[in-house]
Amino acid sequence: MANLVLTIISLLAIGWTLVHAGEPSPLQDFCVADFDSPVRVNGHACLDPKKVTADHFFFEGLHKPGNTSNPLGSFINRPTVDEIPGLNTLGISTVRVDYAPRGIVPPHRHPRASEILTVLEGEVICY
Ligand SMILES: *[C@@H]1O[C@H](CO)[C@@H](O)[C@H](O)[C@H]1NC(C)=O
């Protein structure tokens, strides 16, 4: 009986491994891209915080409607870290999508990311 209990405990110990998965907490609040640095580690190197300004987190242009006169009937305005240096290493972005009636955005994925849609006018069908 003791052998059986010992065997069960041994099997549990072998097969039961504590797994911890998930994104590590960010080590910094922000890391504004330093485009002059040759270092590339998970994005751009961080600009010296003393050189960071509010403009590094600002993008002007999402208020402008895009031209949807194309075969897809949609226009995506997706500023990246190149336009908003403050997005560097954050893994977030913001996008404006304009659709013509019956316009589409081809199927796509957002690996390791979530998506929130806000429809300001009309109706969007998501599959
Ligand atoms: C929108 O795109 C179409 C096709 O490229 C072009 O003919 C038209 O001039 C553009 N309209 C505007 C307002 O830019």
Side-chain angles (χ1 to χ4, degrees), residues 103-122:
I104 64 164
V105 171
H108 60 280
R109 300 180 328 123
H110 299 270
R112 300 174 62 213
S114 300
E115 183 174 45
I116 298 173
L117 294 175
T118 303
V119 179
L120 299 180
E121 186 180 325

Side-chain angles (χ1 to χ4, degrees), residues 68-91:
T68 58
S69 295
N70 58 62
L72 295 176
S74 65
F75 182 87
I76 300 173
N77 187 356
R78 183 181 51 200
T80 66
V81 68
D82 292 330
E83 291 83 25
I84 310 176
L87 291 178
N88 190 41
T89 73
L90 293 181

Side-chain angles (χ1 to χ4, degrees), residues 1 54 61 92 106 122:
M1 184 65 181
I92 62 169

